[in-house]
Amino acid sequence: MKLKKKAKRIIIIVLIIAVVAIGFVGYNVFLKKPDIQEAKVLKTIDKYGYTLKDNKSKRYQTMFEELDEILKEDPVNEEDYVKKITEMFIYDFYTLNDKTAKTDVGGTDFIYSTSLSNFLENAENTYYKYVESDIYNQRNQKLPTVDKITIDSVEKIEYAYAETSDDAAYEVKVSWTYTDSDFAKYQNEATLTFIHEDIKLALAELK
């Protein structure tokens, strides 16, 4: 009788262990969300406050390297500078496919500092409004990626708005296409106004 009771106990313990193991495997496979990997900084242009993170595409990383080379010149060719940051802004802001959520707004490195909060709010309520979360890499939503970018013109202008003014600002007209024809009706041209903020050129107006 004692042996039977002991055998029963062993069976019960084995069953409990099996249930716990199955539950653990099921939780990890079906319920537990994968770890969220934070983007790492690959490179910075400290003097100008520009940062490149590893979640940016290879194309953007190449543009960042090109910008770094432009800014190493002495003196800096401002027309080359403004053309490059226009290209980078258009690509990063209007490409949604690599964004993790509607709050993951692109192009913020190039925004005039006092306009940044307003810019973010407007972006999240308009162009980024319907971007679904992809923090776990499970999104199926189809989103645009910018393809060819064309700088149509660069003009030096006087700019004044509220308490902000610059008599050597830049107005850049730019157009672009998308990699997928499904987005052909999305915005594909804009006029950007960049003003000086210390040594930087910063986007003060987008229309």
Side-chain angles (χ1 to χ4, degrees), residues 30-132:
F30 298 107
L31 297 177
K32 187 180 178 182
K33 296 292 186 182
D35 293 334
I36 301 172
Q37 298 294 324
E38 288 191 14
K40 297 178 181 178
V41 174
L42 296 177
K43 187 172 184 176
T44 59
I45 306 176
D46 294 327
K47 192 175 179 181
Y48 289 81
Y50 297 132
T51 301
L52 176 64
K53 295 184 178 180
D54 65 356
N55 60 350
K56 296 299 184 184
S57 70
K58 293 296 183 184
R59 181 178 174 187
Y60 187 86
Q61 291 181 31
T62 297
M63 289 190 281
F64 191 93
E65 294 295 340
E66 292 167 349
L67 175 63
D68 190 25
E69 291 303 311
I70 290 169
L71 296 178
K72 285 177 180 176
E73 294 179 7
D74 186 18
V76 171
N77 184 318
E78 283 200 335
E79 187 166 323
D80 289 343
Y81 175 22
V82 79
K83 284 180 178 179
K84 184 53 61 179
I85 59 176
T86 294
E87 182 184 355
M88 294 172 74
F89 173 81
I90 294 299
Y91 181 81
D92 199 25
F93 181 76
Y94 289 99
T95 292
L96 298 181
N97 191 50
D98 61 352
K99 304 305 186 290
T100 56
K102 75 170 192 175
T103 54
D104 184 17
V105 178
T108 55
D109 268 0
F110 310 108
I111 304 299
Y112 189 62
S113 60
T114 58
S115 304
L116 182 57
S117 60
N118 187 54
F119 172 80
L120 289 171
E121 183 179 353
N122 287 339
E124 289 169 24
N125 291 329
T126 54
Y127 190 65
Y128 281 70
K129 186 175 183 178
Y130 299 106
V131 176
E132 296 173 3

Side-chain angles (χ1 to χ4, degrees), residues 50 85-86 89-90 93 107 109-116 119 159 170 172 191-197 200-207:
Y50 297 132
I85 59 176
T86 294
F89 173 81
I90 294 299
F93 181 76
D109 268 0
F110 310 108
I111 304 299
Y112 189 62
S113 60
T114 58
S115 304
L116 182 57
F119 172 80
Y159 177 84
Y170 288 89
V172 185
T191 300
L192 289 68
T193 303
F194 290 90
I195 62 175
H196 290 85
E197 185 172 22
K200 290 176 63 174
L201 285 168
L203 182 59
E205 188 174 303
L206 170 65
K207 57 184 180 181

